[in-house]
Amino acid sequence: RSKKLKASMALSRFEYVKQFETDDRCLPNCWIVVRIDGKGFHRFSDQHNFLKPNDDRSLHLMNCAAKQVMTEFKDIVLAYGQSDEYSFVFKINTSTYNRRSSKLMTNICSLFASTFVFNWQKYFHDVKLKYPPAFDGRVVLYPSNQNLLDYLSWRQADCHINNMYNTVFWALVQQGKLTPQAAQERLKGTLAADKNEILFQDYAINYNDLPEFYRKGTTLIREKKEEQITHKIPQQDGTFKEKAELKIKSELVELHTDIIGSSFWNNHPEILTPKLKR
Amino acid sequence: RSKKLKASMALSRFEYVKQFETDDRCLPNCWIVVRIDGKGFHRFSDQHNFLKPNDDRSLHLMNCAAKQVMTEFKDIVLAYGQSDEYSFVFKINTSTYNRRSSKLMTNICSLFASTFVFNWQKYFHDVKLKYPPAFDGRVVLYPSNQNLLDYLSWRQADCHINNMYNTVFWALVQQGKLTPQAAQERLKGTLAADKNEILFQDYAINYNDLPEFYRKGTTLIREKKEEQITHKIPQQDGTFKEKAELKIKSELVELHTDIIGSSFWNNHPEILTPKLKR
Amino acid sequence: RSKKLKASMALSRFEYVKQFETDDRCLPNCWIVVRIDGKGFHRFSDQHNFLKPNDDRSLHLMNCAAKQVMTEFKDIVLAYGQSDEYSFVFKINTSTYNRRSSKLMTNICSLFASTFVFNWQKYFHDVKLKYPPAFDGRVVLYPSNQNLLDYLSWRQADCHINNMYNTVFWALVQQGKLTPQAAQERLKGTLAADKNEILFQDYAINYNDLPEFYRKGTTLIREKKEEQITHKIPQQDGTFKEKAELKIKSELVELHTDIIGSSFWNNHPEILTPKLKR
Amino acid sequence: RSKKLKASMALSRFEYVKQFETDDRCLPNCWIVVRIDGKGFHRFSDQHNFLKPNDDRSLHLMNCAAKQVMTEFKDIVLAYGQSDEYSFVFKINTSTYNRRSSKLMTNICSLFASTFVFNWQKYFHDVKLKYPPAFDGRVVLYPSNQNLLDYLSWRQADCHINNMYNTVFWALVQQGKLTPQAAQERLKGTLAADKNEILFQDYAINYNDLPEFYRKGTTLIREKKEEQITHKIPQQDGTFKEKAELKIKSELVELHTDIIGSSFWNNHPEILTPKLKR
């Protein structure tokens, strides 16, 4: 008996350790971005024989995981992904998890990772997942719309530059039969224009004709769609009368388009506007 | 051509957004604890028909995921788990990820979650995983050994109290045929001693005879083991001579024991001692 | 000799303690507000027989100290003071002290306090300063212009409410001969309108006729002033020719006006506009 | 009437801006050190013709201000000062200002600065203070006793090295008639031993004979002193009987001694011991 009493007393005796936890709420009225990155995905892609320079299966699986995150977190207004990274943008005045930074990043990271494994087979079919991957994450705050747009532009410019490099690099290796070291050496100091030239002259590849899926990455947004639903209303005479109703539903939409220029934002003003009134 | 040049210029034009990232390194010379919790595991356990009050499959799967985390993060000196939570303790002077809080918690959370899904079938066999679970995480710093021990005691006392409650609650529901509401009502205001009494009188259960696996949770530590390896050394005459060598290997050990009292710590002084020299 | 060598070695042996300092830079592109408050000024004003409800000497001394702060910190674009508090607003993209929070608040607080003592006699004449006062300070970040305006409105509304209360309270005590307790009791639960009524009916005071200095607090801004300077240019024939030049100088201006409404901000658009380009 | 009502409504409408303030409580069970530094004291000492290498008036004034800080903040257990800096050490479990970092550093900085000005004349007599000085401050946390001792050792080693440099430098300039540039050049790359040699050979100064006040800086601690107080107790017959009582009083003590070695700490065990029980 006394043993149990002691346990409960113990609980209260030890509870002081809760005071060592810190308050990590994000500054109000800032855009909250959670960016996640695959940990050690160079090795991971080697181990699972990812196609180079882009592996559709992997990119679609990343998008699938990102959609799951957006389905769970309704306050994410946009997500942008490329390669093994994804950025999730919460609406500026979200109160999800009381804006607590740790809660936001760990929930998103772990849900992304578990969804990635959960849906692996759906995309990789008979390629077996050899080990469970990790993703690291961080929270970054952006006070103004312009800062947020510049953040997203930064990621998309990064996608562009990496994809162009990888496209040439793997052309040199796969078609040009160069060793990776030789390919790397060949590309040292080249500008985008030079890479374009190599692709076009040596491999007859027009970079701009490559799929936007690779060149622009993936942007996920929500779109309101009207949907006509037809109800059958029973009538007094035993027959049914059809009654149409318009319902507005929010749907995830996957885009592969430029988000650096203004036209994307002009076409989707609702992404930035549900700002704090003040 | 100018398009590409613009892209690379764009990158540098946008890179200022990196300055919005903050430095979140943990104070040196403190124990870093990362605690993770299953998100919405009440529903998750319902959906997957977890056995009550304890489901061995789930507990073993949690332990399996925790071991994977310890295998990846060599500076974790101890992990303690119970129910749907796990605490990982880094050695006091770890420089893993430069002690960056976000890196530590997101990597651990996501690796735990992906391992949980990866190994689901191994423990749940033909029970299908219906959806990928998330885990939230946090980092807490403890400056002194005593603070750390009190933290771990707090979690084990919590395990004890919850497990006793759940044991009686489910006895009342499963054997006593009470509704959950009635069982809850029955237990309102009871002390540990009262719960013990109900178990013993009405259901002939001696709480202290229940497995320590349930009552104490799981403690994972590393133990140095000596292993004798025999090399065959080729001799001049063409024969081989055997040469024994002792190698010290570190192994993960799973314990279900009291960590509130001092005897566990006296038996494993190495956990706390590789402290900063200063 | 070895003793000195040891000292220098000692320095490097101990320098690791610098790693315990944390980076406290403010989020970029946010308005940085440093607010300071007199510590224990209730007692301080009693000890120095401040006139009630407002002591001009004290208010002018506060303004003098605030001007000194603005003279030292060129990136402060506005300061607002009332009673024993002052708020300093840095331009949104200031890089003063690399935006380090501790540096900003401690420098301002200590400069304000030392200036307060330095200039005491100038305002209080033969009233001797009995002890040196302290001021506490804090840094608050505001991401948007509207947040900043609301912050300043909050302080000015606070000034209004306190000043009205104090005006009635001290009328009741000084002219009405009530005890402080009785005056407090009399005012419990009264609205602004009730207080206005008491002032007007019982003491023939029209609150709105009181000086704006008391009702609105003090706003300090910088105003660009053109100043005509005449140079005498020596000529070849030994005479001088006068040459006029317009120089633009920035001057501190002290206002006692409403800053809640929009007209102040419309008249001084330059306060908010030197925003980050992006 | 409506105007006043609006004001009070305004207050509540604007109060949301308080949510932008952050919680900056220091981690429990760590030593809190507040270090302050004179801002621009090179210029300040020039402007007020400080004696070189050490100006007693300035050092005593610094100590006076530090004592005022310790008198106000009872939880400061030790302060260490040298040149234009001072470090204040709060007891490890202090709850002063709820351990809020901003409150602690701004109160100390501003009180130090205002006391410095308040007492200027007492130390500098007819030298007029030309302008009010500022001090910047910071908070640093140290988890262990050893970290704290190393921090203090770091400051005292710094004092030693700077003081030796300054002593030789000013001997070269004042007695050796070198220009400051020449003196600096002469000392480039010299070790402590070399400096010692210059002092001894060229200026017959034995560095170790210089006052500890300069070589060791100032350490302020509290010492419990017993004091015998005599009460006169009135007797029934109208006479008085004397009754002695021992009262323990805490007094500030100023030391100029080595705090790097262990003997200081052995002689004053109470400084480190009133640690958290746990």
Side-chain angles (χ1 to χ4, degrees), chain C residues 43-87:
Chain C
R43 178 179 165 244
F44 185 82
S45 66
D46 281 352
Q47 291 271 314
H48 295 90
N49 300 311
F50 279 20
L51 299 175
K52 303 292 185 176
N54 290 287
D55 188 307
D56 280 18
R57 299 165 302 178
S58 161
L59 294 173
H60 287 307
L61 178 52
M62 292 288 290
N63 291 344
C64 163
K67 284 172 193 167
Q68 178 76 359
V69 169
M70 284 186 78
T71 302
E72 287 291 314
F73 292 90
K74 302 299 187 196
D75 275 5
I76 296 175
V77 291
L78 181 148
Y80 175 75
Q82 55 127 326
S83 181
D84 63 343
E85 74 166 52
Y86 238 101
S87 297

Side-chain angles (χ1 to χ4, degrees), chain C residues 157-208:
Chain C
D158 183 81
C159 170
H160 173 80
I161 284 167
N162 288 334
N163 189 59
M164 168 161 280
Y165 183 92
N166 290 335
T167 303
V168 191
F169 177 87
W170 288 104
L172 291 170
V173 169
Q174 290 167 345
Q175 301 171 247
K177 306 301 173 196
L178 264 60
T179 62
Q181 291 71 19
Q184 203 181 330
E185 200 57 41
R186 173 74 184 81
L187 291 175
K188 198 175 275 174
T190 57
L191 300 176
D194 306 320
K195 297 195 190 73
N196 242 5
E197 200 78 350
I198 298 175
L199 279 179
F200 193 69
Q201 297 296 345
D202 299 358
Y203 304 103
I205 296 171
N206 188 337
Y207 183 76
N208 289 325

Side-chain angles (χ1 to χ4, degrees), chain B residues 27-30 141-144 146-147 150 275-278, chain D residues 27-30 141-144 146-147 150 275-278:
Chain B
L27 188 67
N29 205 21
C30 288
L141 301 181
Y142 290 108
S144 75
Q146 191 58 55
N147 294 150
D150 287 347
K275 238 182 127 340
L276 262 184
K277 271 112 247 151
R278 311 200 59 79
Chain D
L27 188 68
N29 203 23
C30 288
L141 301 181
Y142 291 108
S144 75
Q146 191 58 55
N147 294 149
D150 287 348
K275 238 181 130 334
L276 261 184
K277 271 112 246 154
R278 312 199 59 80

Side-chain angles (χ1 to χ4, degrees), chain D:
Chain D
R1 179 196 180 114
S2 72
K3 207 166 173 187
K4 305 310 150 213
L5 191 59
K6 263 160 62 189
S8 141
M9 274 158 39
L11 192 63
S12 62
R13 178 157 60 95
F14 300 132
E15 261 171 351
Y16 82 92
V17 298
K18 279 202 280 189
Q19 296 163 18
F20 290 69
E21 299 185 4
T22 51
D23 175 10
D24 63 347
R25 265 172 293 171
C26 296
L27 188 68
N29 203 23
C30 288
W31 295 98
I32 299 176
V33 174
V34 177
R35 180 168 83 247
I36 72 171
D37 274 274
K39 184 198 168 188
F41 259 51
H42 192 79
R43 177 178 165 243
F44 186 82
S45 66
D46 281 351
Q47 291 273 314
H48 296 91
N49 299 312
F50 279 20
L51 299 174
K52 304 291 184 174
N54 290 287
D55 188 308
D56 280 18
R57 300 164 302 177
S58 161
L59 294 173
H60 286 307
L61 178 52
M62 291 289 291
N63 291 345
C64 162
K67 284 172 192 164
Q68 177 76 0
V69 168
M70 285 187 77
T71 302
E72 286 291 313
F73 292 90
K74 303 298 187 198
D75 274 6
I76 296 173
V77 293
L78 179 147
Y80 174 74
Q82 55 126 327
S83 181
D84 62 345
E85 73 164 55
Y86 239 101
S87 298
F88 299 93
V89 181
F90 281 86
K91 69 179 189 192
I92 199 166
N93 58 351
T94 184
S95 58
T96 307
Y97 286 127
N98 225 357
R99 299 176 76 84
R100 278 187 288 165
S101 172
S102 299
K103 288 272 186 191
L104 293 170
M105 67 176 121
T106 56
N107 268 292
I108 285 181
C109 259
S110 64
L111 181 58
F112 193 96
S114 71
T115 307
F116 189 95
V117 175
F118 187 78
N119 290 289
W120 173 269
Q121 210 201 328
K122 186 170 162 195
Y123 294 95
F124 277 88
H125 307 291
D126 48 343
V127 177
K128 270 202 76 165
L129 178 58
K130 293 189 176 167
Y131 58 88
F135 293 83
D136 72 25
R138 78 192 68 205
V139 163
V140 195
L141 301 181
Y142 291 108
S144 75
N145 290 0
Q146 191 58 55
N147 294 149
L148 176 66
L149 297 195
D150 287 348
Y151 170 79
L152 293 167
S153 297
W154 176 49
R155 299 324 303 148
Q156 194 169 56
D158 183 82
C159 170
H160 173 80
I161 284 167
N162 288 333
N163 188 59
M164 168 160 280
Y165 183 92
N166 291 334
T167 303
V168 191
F169 177 88
W170 288 104
L172 291 170
V173 169
Q174 291 166 346
Q175 302 172 247
K177 304 302 175 197
L178 265 58
T179 62
Q181 289 74 18
Q184 203 180 329
E185 200 57 39
R186 171 74 184 83
L187 291 174
K188 199 173 276 176
T190 57
L191 299 178
D194 306 320
K195 297 195 190 74
N196 240 5
E197 200 79 351
I198 297 174
L199 279 179
F200 192 68
Q201 298 294 347
D202 299 356
Y203 304 103
I205 297 170
N206 189 335
Y207 183 76
N208 288 325
D209 292 345
L210 296 178
E212 294 213 300
F213 186 37
Y214 304 151
R215 292 186 294 119
K216 303 296 183 193
T218 297
T219 303
L220 301 175
I221 58 173
R222 300 180 196 279
E223 273 191 358
K224 299 257 186 297
K225 297 246 162 114
E226 287 190 345
E227 200 172 283
Q228 185 156 332
I229 300 173
T230 317
H231 302 279
K232 291 196 173 176
I233 314 290
Q235 303 296 308
Q236 285 192 326
D237 61 5
T239 62
F240 289 85
K241 202 168 153 184
E242 297 206 331
K243 197 186 152 198
E245 192 194 6
L246 273 183
K247 263 189 93 169
I248 290 168
K249 285 181 57 174
S250 179
E251 249 176 41
L252 289 183
V253 177
E254 181 181 324
L255 306 169
H256 311 291
T257 188
D258 177 83
I259 58 173
I260 297 181
S262 55
S263 71
F264 170 79
W265 300 100
N266 291 338
N267 290 336
H268 301 91
E270 72 287 355
I271 297 172
L272 298 177
T273 39
K275 238 181 130 334
L276 261 184
K277 271 112 246 154
R278 312 199 59 80

Side-chain angles (χ1 to χ4, degrees), chain A residues 52-105:
Chain A
K52 302 293 183 174
N54 290 287
D55 188 308
D56 281 16
R57 300 164 302 177
S58 161
L59 294 174
H60 286 307
L61 177 53
M62 291 288 291
N63 290 345
C64 162
K67 284 172 194 167
Q68 177 76 359
V69 169
M70 284 185 77
T71 301
E72 286 292 313
F73 291 90
K74 302 300 187 196
D75 274 5
I76 296 175
V77 292
L78 180 147
Y80 175 76
Q82 55 129 326
S83 182
D84 62 343
E85 74 166 53
Y86 239 102
S87 298
F88 298 94
V89 181
F90 280 87
K91 69 178 189 193
I92 199 166
N93 58 349
T94 186
S95 58
T96 306
Y97 287 127
N98 225 355
R99 299 177 75 86
R100 278 187 289 164
S101 172
S102 298
K103 287 273 185 189
L104 293 170
M105 67 177 123

Side-chain angles (χ1 to χ4, degrees), chain B residues 53-70:
Chain B
N54 290 287
D55 187 308
D56 280 18
R57 300 165 302 177
S58 161
L59 294 173
H60 286 308
L61 177 53
M62 291 288 291
N63 291 344
C64 163
K67 284 172 193 165
Q68 177 76 359
V69 168
M70 285 186 77

